[in-house]
Amino acid sequence: MANLKFIRDRISSVKNTRKITEAMRLVAAAKVRRAQQQVLATRPFADRLAQVLYRLQSRIKFEDANLPLLEERAVKTVGILVISGDRGLCGGYNTNVIRRAENRAKELKAQGIDYQYILVGRKAVQYFTRRSQPIAAKFANLEQIPTAAEANMIVDEASSAFLAGKIDRVELIYTRFLSLISSKPVVQTLLPIEPQGLEPTDDEIFRLITRGGQFQVEREKVETTVRESPRDLIFEQEPVQILNALLPLYLDNQLLRAMQEAAASELASRMTAMNNASDNAVDLISSLTLQYNKARQASITQEILEVVGGSSV
């Protein structure tokens, strides 16, 4: 009976755990929907900004514009901006982006280039702080759905260090969202801004949908609508001055988009991890139930044999 009670208690514990993992999966799905709504909400601004930059590019050569954010200089120190999560239970999401940052730091060190970390997310802050790595700035406990104000705060820190000459290049390492079961840590140069990176390109929007009772991701190709500026268009200010004012907004938009993709990747990883945990719980409950029934049947058989043996004496 003691064995039966142990199995029964374990089945109850696994059922309670499955309720928690299933609830966390549904919460993550709801936050993915919020994240995609935010992407759609910020898209008109990004589209309009791309139009203005494209029109400016038709008037001036960005390579010839003497602007601080476009200045390329000899690289002695690189700022590695790492975007991780504040929470766990999301599979290998945090581990993968931290490992990518470590590998990039080793590559720079092998080239004789110093580096400093600009860390976003509690997991990255904890990891690199414990290992006494050079850290220029830390940002933790941010909103799980990124905001423009947070992106602006991080860009201000990175660009200030760049303009002050403390770092000569800023590289952004974040997790690019591919699908609900796939994401990839990537490295992207944030500063100095490369002129060819300002050209408008076609984009994709990811939508989380429900089909057949299962969550799926639907991709939609979106064309960036840009028009040539009229030849007789007159600027009230010099195009270079307008470009100088718009470049910080462009940086904010680039980082916000990366943070949104990283958040979508984290939530999708958590959904997948919790879904796998729920499936494993179902399998374990089935196995334990079978084990419980066998033990109960053996106990009943033993009791019957004892009764029969007692009556024959």
Side-chain angles (χ1 to χ4, degrees):
M1 292 298 293
N3 187 38
L4 289 176
K5 184 178 184 304
F6 172 77
I7 298 175
R8 190 164 56 243
D9 290 345
R10 193 174 178 196
I11 291 175
S12 177
S13 175
V14 174
K15 285 183 177 178
N16 291 334
T17 302
R18 182 179 179 275
K19 290 179 182 178
I20 295 173
T21 57
E22 187 64 17
M24 292 182 67
R25 183 181 75 91
L26 295 175
V27 169
K31 289 183 177 180
V32 168
R33 293 185 186 277
R34 283 178 54 200
Q36 76 184 24
Q37 289 173 357
Q38 187 189 50
V39 171
L40 294 175
T42 57
R43 179 159 191 84
F45 172 79
D47 191 39
R48 184 59 60 88
L49 182 61
Q51 290 185 32
V52 175
L53 290 174
Y54 182 76
R55 291 177 176 180
L56 285 173
Q57 195 175 35
S58 64
R59 287 298 185 94
I60 60 175
K61 291 183 178 181
F62 290 170
E63 295 86 347
D64 298 334
N66 187 20
L67 297 177
L69 294 179
L70 297 175
E71 179 187 358
E72 294 188 11
R73 51 181 182 256
V75 179
K76 298 180 181 178
T77 305
V78 173
I80 305 177
L81 175 54
V82 185
I83 299 179
S84 70
D86 285 328
R87 302 169 180 84
L89 298 177
C90 51
Y93 168 79
N94 291 308
T95 302
N96 292 337
V97 72
I98 288 173
R99 185 183 298 119
R100 185 68 183 89
E102 281 188 316
N103 291 338
R104 182 54 183 159
K106 291 178 182 178
E107 293 173 0
L108 293 172
K109 190 174 181 180
Q111 298 172 14
I113 299 176
D114 293 332
Y115 62 89
Q116 294 182 357
Y117 286 112
I118 302 173
L119 304 175
V120 180
R122 188 164 55 89
K123 291 297 182 180
V125 170
Q126 290 177 343
Y127 182 87
F128 289 107
T129 301
R130 290 170 183 168
R131 286 157 179 79
S132 301
Q133 291 292 316
I135 300 174
K138 305 176 185 178
F139 301 91
N141 300 318
L142 304 179
E143 294 291 334
Q144 196 162 15
I145 306 301
T147 63
E150 292 173 345
N152 177 258
M153 176 177 59
I154 298 169
V155 166
D156 282 349
E157 184 70 31
S159 58
S160 296
F162 177 78
L163 294 175
K166 297 179 181 178
I167 53 180
D168 304 303
R169 188 171 70 221
V170 178
E171 295 182 353
L172 172 63
I173 299 181
Y174 69 100
T175 306
R176 179 170 294 167
F177 179 78
L178 301 177
S179 68
L180 283 179
I181 59 174
S182 178
S183 57
K184 178 183 179 182
V186 296
V187 181
Q188 173 183 330
T189 299
L190 193 65
L191 284 169
I193 299 175
E194 298 179 358
Q196 59 269 25
L198 299 174
E199 298 175 357
T201 57
D202 292 342
D203 204 353
E204 283 186 333
I205 289 179
F206 302 93
R207 286 189 171 89
L208 181 66
I209 61 174
T210 305
R211 183 173 296 163
Q214 298 293 327
F215 289 114
Q216 296 183 8
V217 170
E218 185 180 70
R219 297 171 181 261
E220 178 184 347
K221 194 74 173 179
V222 180
E223 295 183 358
T224 304
T225 57
V226 294
R227 296 185 297 272
E228 293 282 352
S229 59
R231 294 183 178 180
D232 57 349
L233 180 65
I234 299 176
F235 291 96
E236 293 185 0
Q237 293 179 309
E238 288 294 325
V240 175
Q241 295 179 352
I242 299 175
L243 180 61
N244 190 37
L246 290 181
L247 287 181
L249 294 178
Y250 172 79
L251 280 177
D252 291 348
N253 183 70
Q254 287 291 98
L255 183 59
L256 178 60
R257 184 60 186 271
M259 293 173 66
Q260 289 171 341
E261 286 213 30
S265 300
E266 179 186 357
L267 293 170
S269 297
R270 184 169 290 111
M271 280 180 59
T272 301
M274 293 302 100
N275 185 65
N276 292 338
S278 297
D279 292 343
N280 292 337
V282 171
D283 294 339
L284 184 56
I285 290 171
S286 177
S287 176
L288 289 173
T289 302
L290 180 60
Q291 185 180 348
Y292 175 81
N293 290 337
K294 288 181 177 180
R296 186 168 178 272
Q297 185 177 5
S299 177
I300 294 173
T301 302
Q302 181 65 29
E303 291 177 359
I304 292 174
L305 289 176
E306 290 177 357
V307 172
V308 172
S311 63
S312 63
V313 175

